[in-house]
Amino acid sequence: MVSPTPFLTLSSLLLVLLLCTAGVNSSSTPPTKIGNGYRLISIERTPDGGLVGHLVVNQKNNIYGPDIPTLQLSVKHETHDRLRVHITDAEKQRWEVPYNLLPREQPPVLKQTIGRSRKSPITVAETDYPGSELVFSYTTDPFGFAVKRKSNGQTLFNSSSDESDPFGNLVFKDQYLEISTKLPNDASLYGLGENTQPHGIKLYPNDPYTLYTTDISAINVNTDLYGSHPVYMDLRNVGGKPYAHSVLLLNSNGMDVFYRGTSLTYKVIGGVLDFYFFAGPTALGVIDQYTSFVGRPAPMPYWSLGFHQCRWGYHNLSVVEDVVANYQKAQIPLDVIWNDDDHMDGHKDFTLNPISYPQSKLSAFLDKIHSIGMKYIVLIDPGIAVNSSYGVYQRGISNDVFIKYEDEPYLAQVWPGAVYFPDFLNPKTVSWWGDEIRRFHELVPVDGLWIDMNEASNFCSGKCTIPKGKQCPTGTGPGWDCCLDCKNITKTRWDAPPYMINASGLQKPVGFKTIATSAVHYNGVLEYDAHSLYGFSQSIATHKALQGLEGKRPFILSRSTYVGSGQYAAHWTGDNQGTWENLRYSISTMLNFGIFGVPMVGSDICGFYPQPTEELCNRWIEVGAFYPFSRDHANYYSPRQELYQWESVAESARNALGMRYKLLPYLYTLNYEAHISGAPIARPLFFSFPTYTEVYGLSTQFLLGSSLMVSPVLEQGKSQVTALFPPGSWYSLFDITQAITSKGGLNVTLDAPLHVVNVHLYQNTILPMQQGGMISKEARKTPFNLMVTFPAGSDGEAIGNLFIDDDELPEMKLGNGYSTYIDFHATVTKGTVKVWSEVQESKFALDQGLHIEKISVLGLDGSGQASALEVNGKPVTNASNIELSTTKQNVLEDGGDKVKIVMVEIKDLSLDVGKNFAITWKMGPKVEDKRIM
């Protein structure tokens, strides 16, 4: 839904940054060093092999408030590849991300006695924990610590400061924490979101990175947006060998992060310093380790990987019915139809408009679409309308579920007018929320829920009251103008903290257009501390509610996210703009969320507002068809932009989405891999090609899985695209007779007329595909085709896999009797080709009657044709229906010997997916008859 916050322009953002004071809000100006740090006065080992130490401040000052005099340091090697460094007040408990929201080990209990001060000169100590890849070391005065990689001694993090460094020593005040790390010049950093990064996926020196969940349109670059993910991945190439690691600062308070190329500084307005270091050394290894800690990505139902259509402005049910009918008429695949808030009665959650969405007609419509496998999802906002005749409100008041301010529910304004915000940190709220979802599901059997505006968004700021004698909202105008009677709240240090983060890109107060930061949650928790957890806590409560309804796998789409959100929800990148720039930005944001452990992600296809051009919408569906989450969504005030509105866009959609639906088994298998290891569905190219440094900053192409590369057109008026091909052989997915091969990598200008998107499959891959269709339920019943790719003209091997299950089940795993996993293998050695499978848990696949109809093998030596075909050890004779054919492939090379290659196709196989098979043949002398003799 459209952001109520007026959007910023790039020029206004740059002006603000230029005017900011040195060291506080400008990342391009040398910072002011605050204080002289702390000294370590005692340290000892704990029984579990960790360390506990105490720090005292060297020299107090009152910049941003008084220093906390004594700190407790705890260090723990939690796993072979995860190290935790935790620093907090030694005398009293401080706010931390709740352990029930993000389960993890508790740090040591605060010690009340401080050890005897050491008066020895500055020393350096190093702790080497057996079995750990990470080594922790420290200096005592001023205190600093470093984390090194044991295998090669590389320093991954170093907070020690000297005069030549652009940062100071550790600062720890009640509302201002500062710590920094040195970085080598050649480190490539990724992450620190959510924001729209105009320079691409790599962090860009001196760009601002502010983390604080905010409802501000995603068209604003370098601005704190809907999510807070204080984690970055660091990729370095050392002597030709790639090493990746990741650093998480688990803190939910607002923060500015200043990246200057050779250093990175955190400035945080509360909480503790709770660092987690993940050793990698591969990018996939980092994500595996990270999601093992924060939570594995949620399993997604199969249908969620189909195409989705939404619009804010489907004013009545007949419009929705017409949209579904027009997609079917245009022969464009569609799995899910959505409603924004149009179905609601007066914008109130869990209601239906009795005139435009009468319950009886909506039920009949849902019966109709459910019968063919289509799904229906609606939006709910967290704000509950203050309305004494509204049952949801009545029950909320009765159960005391709302966030408080001065012992009364905090009053805000969102779409229904005056609202209260549920407090999802309160167990009673979680139960009440689940009951409201149950009640609504009995009224409308929705297939998923879309939780929006959960940063939380407020059209007003401060302390508000409902005006007397005037209507609010007025029913006219844009709808997001504040119409409550409000006054600013500045009387507490929570509402006006001493350090101002660069909130909304303009140093707005932390309570601007959200819940007042001095408002109170359950158990006295301040909104100041818990603000960025709001959408995360709502996702957890919503996931619990949906899973408890019918025991089915939930689907939740959340705008606001935090560390660990991927375990419960998918994400879309918010209110983007129908421009070429925003199309390009969407790729970087999508790739970042894979690093954040939220792999089910996508942007509003064709842009949320204003109306895109016809050409842009053509190009956007050619990208969006390959987002993990693929949805067209438009604004109330924009003209209609469903994919059938232009015939040219419809043609591009049929082409691109037609391929997506053939790839659904591959995407679903990637969904399974994401769930068990965190592996992103959409990935930067450096995940698969970490030694090829040319791709470290590549943000205009991306991979699905390890080997399927999308190279879209992202500029107006172009009918070609220049794409970078890492070393090896690549095969065009839309025309498998075309191949590109190189030894050192190659830039290639590809033809890309309006309805064409270039997608290439890398060598050594076995890609499972089906025949597609108009809806995933039917597409997944069609026969399989295995596409096998070898290095052009060379001996080699290829692998692939396939996971299938009952996608209604909450859990996605093997061993429950309702899933099957297949490993595919292929080799070519001295002219002998072999393709075979190894099946685990065969029963489910056999019960589904799935079979493989065709195998296509690409990149074989072109000097001969296939013969002597055997299937499961038996020769195939001329009497068989199985057909073997050989077709020449065209190769674009970067020089050297010309390679002649062919592809071999075996058709009409009818191999059971649930049974092991083995197929062999020889590439012998040329024969005229393409059928086997």
Side-chain angles (χ1 to χ4, degrees):
M1 188 175 290
V2 68
S3 165
T5 307
F7 68 80
L8 314 176
T9 64
L10 180 58
S11 58
S12 66
L13 175 61
L14 292 174
L15 178 61
V16 169
L17 292 176
L18 289 171
L19 294 175
C20 290
T21 57
V24 178
N25 297 290
S26 172
S27 55
S28 59
T29 311
T32 301
K33 295 185 180 182
I34 302 168
N36 295 298
Y38 286 74
R39 68 181 183 276
L40 183 70
I41 61 170
S42 69
I43 193 163
E44 61 186 49
R45 285 203 176 273
T46 58
D48 59 4
L51 296 173
V52 173
H54 286 92
L55 312 170
V56 296
V57 67
N58 275 329
Q59 183 178 343
K60 294 181 180 180
N61 66 59
N62 287 312
I63 303 173
Y64 305 134
D67 297 276
I68 292 177
T70 58
L71 304 178
Q72 176 172 291
L73 163 74
S74 58
V75 181
K76 178 74 180 293
H77 292 85
E78 295 190 337
T79 69
H80 166 74
D81 39 41
R82 183 173 82 227
L83 171 70
R84 183 185 191 183
V85 178
H86 183 277
I87 304 174
T88 188
D89 189 333
E91 301 295 335
K92 63 181 181 180
Q93 200 75 32
R94 287 181 62 80
W95 164 258
E96 298 188 45
V97 174
Y99 283 76
N100 64 321
L101 287 188
L102 193 66
R104 59 201 189 276
E105 290 186 37
Q106 293 271 2
V109 176
L110 295 173
K111 294 195 173 185
Q112 298 304 315
T113 57
I114 304 300
R116 183 169 55 87
S117 174
R118 291 182 176 177
K119 297 182 178 179
S120 57
I122 294 175
T123 60
V124 179
E126 188 167 276
T127 65
D128 183 1
Y129 189 74
S132 176
E133 168 60 3
L134 297 174
V135 177
F136 175 82
S137 64
Y138 60 88
T139 57
T140 57
D141 189 10
F143 170 76
F145 73 89
V147 177
K148 296 181 181 180
R149 192 185 298 281
K150 184 185 295 185
S151 58
N152 63 3
Q154 186 182 68
T155 300
L156 309 185
F157 192 94
N158 183 2
S159 73
S160 297
S161 172
D162 57 41
E163 291 299 321
S164 63
D165 290 318
F167 57 85
N169 294 300
L170 170 66
V171 180
F172 205 117
K173 301 168 186 285
D174 192 24
Q175 290 182 265
Y176 182 80
L177 284 61
E178 180 180 322
I179 193 169
S180 303
T181 180
K182 300 175 184 178
L183 293 167
N185 283 319
D186 59 349
S188 296
L189 270 57
Y190 311 87
L192 294 181
E194 178 181 10
N195 58 26
T196 298
Q197 298 176 194
H199 295 106
I201 55 174
K202 278 180 64 173
L203 298 191
Y204 194 78
N206 300 322
D207 271 357
Y209 295 94
T210 299
L211 281 70
Y212 191 72
T213 61
T214 306
D215 176 12
I216 183 171
S217 173
I219 71 174
N220 297 288
V221 299
N222 293 329
T223 305
D224 47 317
L225 297 179
Y226 314 105
S228 175
H229 295 271
V231 60
Y232 68 85
M233 180 187 291
D234 183 334
L235 176 63
R236 304 177 190 178
N237 191 289
V238 182
K241 293 183 178 181
Y243 294 90
H245 69 274
S246 190
V247 179
L248 166 67
L249 173 55
L250 188 60
N251 182 302
S252 63
N253 291 83
M255 67 181 78
D256 289 329
V257 185
F258 296 92
Y259 172 52
R260 294 186 173 85
T262 58
S263 67
L264 186 141
T265 298
Y266 299 89
K267 299 189 176 189
V268 194
I269 61 173
V272 301
L273 296 175
D274 194 3
F275 282 103
Y276 289 83
F277 300 91
F278 304 92
T282 66
L284 276 179
V286 165
I287 305 301
D288 187 2
Q289 296 151 18
Y290 179 71
T291 57
S292 175
F293 171 63
V294 305
R296 298 297 195 193
M300 294 292 159
Y302 199 92
W303 54 261
S304 69
L305 292 164
F307 182 68
H308 304 242
Q309 176 61 51
C310 184
R311 175 179 170 79
W312 181 30
Y314 289 150
H315 301 299
N316 56 55
L317 180 59
S318 64
V319 177
V320 176
E321 293 172 321
D322 186 60
V323 170
V324 172
N326 279 321
Y327 267 95
Q328 293 170 340
K329 182 179 178 181
Q331 290 291 287
I332 300 171
L334 179 66
D335 259 78
V336 191
I337 187 71
W338 294 56
N339 265 125
D340 205 300
D341 70 354
D342 302 290
H343 65 286
M344 297 180 184
D345 182 12
H347 305 285
K348 298 191 296 293
D349 282 345
F350 307 119
T351 64
L352 289 178
N353 186 309
I355 297 173
S356 55
Y357 283 85
Q359 195 270 338
S360 60
K361 290 187 177 180
L362 180 58
S363 293
F365 169 70
L366 294 187
D367 287 344
K368 180 180 177 182
I369 65 169
H370 283 157
S371 69
I372 62 172
M374 278 190 65
K375 306 296 180 180
Y376 178 64
I377 294 175
V378 298
L379 173 142
I380 49 175
D381 289 333
I384 301 300
V386 177
N387 185 324
S388 59
S389 64
Y390 175 34
V392 179
Y393 168 80
Q394 294 169 345
R395 291 183 288 273
I397 290 292
S398 176
N399 285 283
D400 192 23
V401 302
F402 298 114
I403 293 171
K404 301 288 184 63
Y405 182 81
E406 296 180 341
D407 296 324
E408 296 291 334
Y410 177 75
L411 187 72
Q413 180 192 331
V414 199
W415 300 111
V419 298
Y420 294 154
F421 287 114
D423 175 12
F424 294 104
L425 299 184
N426 187 341
K428 288 199 302 182
T429 306
V430 175
S431 298
W432 161 83
W433 186 251
D435 184 60
E436 296 302 336
I437 289 175
R438 178 191 59 78
R439 290 169 181 267
F440 182 62
H441 194 268
E442 290 174 355
L443 183 71
V444 185
V446 296
D447 301 288
L449 287 173
W450 173 16
I451 51 178
D452 190 16
M453 309 289 285
N454 52 352
E455 292 71 34
S457 178
N458 181 2
F459 297 171
C460 303
S461 301
K463 179 177 172 57
C464 302
T465 57
I466 298 175
K468 296 180 180 179
K470 69 175 182 178
Q471 182 179 341
C472 178
T474 62
T476 61
W480 54 76
D481 290 337
C482 180
C483 56
L484 300 178
D485 290 336
C486 303
K487 60 181 181 180
N488 289 335
I489 305 173
T490 57
K491 61 186 178 183
T492 77
R493 60 194 179 99
W494 312 114
D495 298 295
Y499 175 82
M500 292 185 68
I501 61 171
N502 195 28
S504 302
L506 290 168
Q507 287 187 270
K508 290 289 187 183
V510 287
F512 177 71
K513 295 295 182 77
T514 188
I515 301 167
T517 43
S518 53
V520 179
H521 292 254
Y522 178 70
N523 268 354
V525 170
L526 286 170
E527 169 69 10
Y528 180 86
D529 294 313
H531 171 81
S532 289
L533 298 175
Y534 194 86
F536 178 44
S537 61
Q538 187 193 16
S539 294
I540 295 172
T542 307
H543 188 273
K544 181 179 179 181
L546 285 181
Q547 199 166 58
L549 280 179
E550 297 176 330
K552 292 184 177 181
R553 190 174 300 174
F555 179 82
I556 299 162
L557 185 72
S558 178
R559 190 168 74 176
S560 186
T561 58
Y562 184 72
V563 173
S565 283
Q567 187 176 359
Y568 306 98
H571 174 66
W572 94 107
T573 64
D575 297 344
N576 60 357
Q577 199 171 22
T579 65
W580 293 93
E581 291 81 9
N582 278 252
L583 171 58
R584 290 192 288 275
Y585 300 157
S586 75
I587 295 176
S588 296
T589 307
M590 170 183 68
L591 298 179
N592 259 336
F593 269 87
I595 292 172
F596 298 151
V598 188
M600 189 65 167
V601 60
S603 294
D604 286 346
I605 292 170
C606 298
F608 183 60
Y609 65 96
Q611 183 183 28
T613 64
E614 182 175 350
E615 181 190 1
L616 175 59
C617 205
N618 270 278
R619 293 309 190 185
W620 210 316
I621 186 55
E622 291 172 357
V623 180
F626 300 98
Y627 292 154
F629 172 63
S630 183
R631 184 183 72 158
D632 181 301
H633 180 217
N635 182 290
Y636 181 100
Y637 297 99
S638 299
R640 298 279 290 272
Q641 65 180 47
E642 292 84 5
L643 302 180
Y644 55 76
Q645 296 290 346
W646 298 277
E647 179 48 42
S648 70
V649 177
E651 183 177 344
S652 292
R654 285 189 289 268
N655 188 44
L657 288 174
M659 182 57 75
R660 179 187 183 90
Y661 274 63
K662 292 177 182 178
L663 290 169
L664 285 177
Y666 177 65
L667 292 172
Y668 192 67
T669 302
L670 293 177
N671 172 31
Y672 172 69
E673 291 180 359
H675 178 57
I676 63 171
S677 71
I681 297 173
R683 308 172 191 175
L685 268 69
F686 69 75
F687 270 64
S688 291
F689 303 96
T691 62
Y692 189 53
T693 56
E694 285 85 346
V695 300
Y696 282 15
L698 186 62
S699 306
T700 54
Q701 298 167 247
F702 60 93
L703 294 172
L704 291 176
S706 62
S707 54
L708 196 64
M709 184 171 71
V710 183
S711 305
V713 172
L714 302 173
E715 297 179 78
Q716 183 177 1
K718 301 292 185 181
S719 58
Q720 293 181 320
V721 61
T722 299
L724 179 59
F725 286 81
S729 298
W730 296 86
Y731 300 89
S732 171
L733 199 62
F734 283 92
D735 182 359
I736 57 178
T737 65
Q738 303 300 314
I740 294 170
T741 185
S742 71
K743 294 181 179 178
L746 191 63
N747 276 297
V748 180
T749 299
L750 304 168
D751 287 332
L754 192 59
H755 307 302
V756 170
V757 57
N758 283 279
V759 182
H760 289 81
L761 185 63
Y762 192 56
Q763 65 187 35
N764 310 322
T765 302
I766 302 179
L767 178 69
M769 301 173 69
Q770 286 176 284
Q771 294 181 359
M774 292 297 102
I775 192 167
S776 65
K777 179 181 178 180
E778 297 304 322
R780 74 182 304 196
K781 297 176 183 177
T782 61
F784 279 84
N785 167 30
L786 300 183
M787 190 172 295
V788 182
T789 58
F790 288 124
S794 301
D795 287 356
E797 58 185 37
I799 57 171
N801 45 54
L802 174 66
F803 177 82
I804 54 176
D805 74 343
D806 179 350
D807 72 315
E808 297 267 289
L809 295 177
E811 292 187 317
M812 188 183 221
K813 64 179 185 180
L814 283 172
N816 59 5
Y818 295 94
S819 57
T820 299
Y821 187 86
I822 304 102
D823 283 302
F824 297 111
H825 302 269
T827 58
V828 55
T829 307
K830 296 180 179 179
T832 298
V833 183
K834 182 179 180 181
V835 183
W836 73 98
S837 70
E838 297 173 351
V839 180
Q840 300 178 52
E841 307 286 339
S842 63
K843 182 179 183 300
F844 181 75
L846 292 173
D847 289 346
Q848 302 306 303
L850 299 170
H851 64 274
I852 299 167
E853 183 178 78
K854 184 172 71 170
I855 297 177
S856 305
V857 182
L858 315 182
L860 295 170
D861 185 348
S863 61
Q865 258 187 294
S867 62
L869 177 66
E870 293 185 0
V871 177
N872 294 327
K874 297 181 180 179
V876 175
T877 67
N878 199 39
S880 168
N881 290 326
I882 296 174
E883 183 178 340
L884 185 72
S885 63
T886 305
T887 305
K888 180 182 177 182
Q889 293 182 277
N890 299 311
V891 186
L892 176 66
E893 301 173 78
D894 60 350
D897 296 333
K898 294 297 180 182
V899 178
K900 293 182 178 180
I901 59 171
V902 296
M903 69 173 180
V904 170
E905 288 193 328
I906 310 168
K907 299 178 182 178
D908 300 323
L909 280 166
S910 196
L911 299 169
D912 288 328
V913 170
K915 291 182 180 179
N916 292 347
F917 71 82
I919 298 176
T920 62
W921 69 90
K922 294 186 182 297
M923 298 301 296
K926 185 175 180 180
V927 295
E928 294 301 323
D929 189 357
K930 292 185 179 181
R931 293 183 64 83
I932 296 299
M933 301 302 293

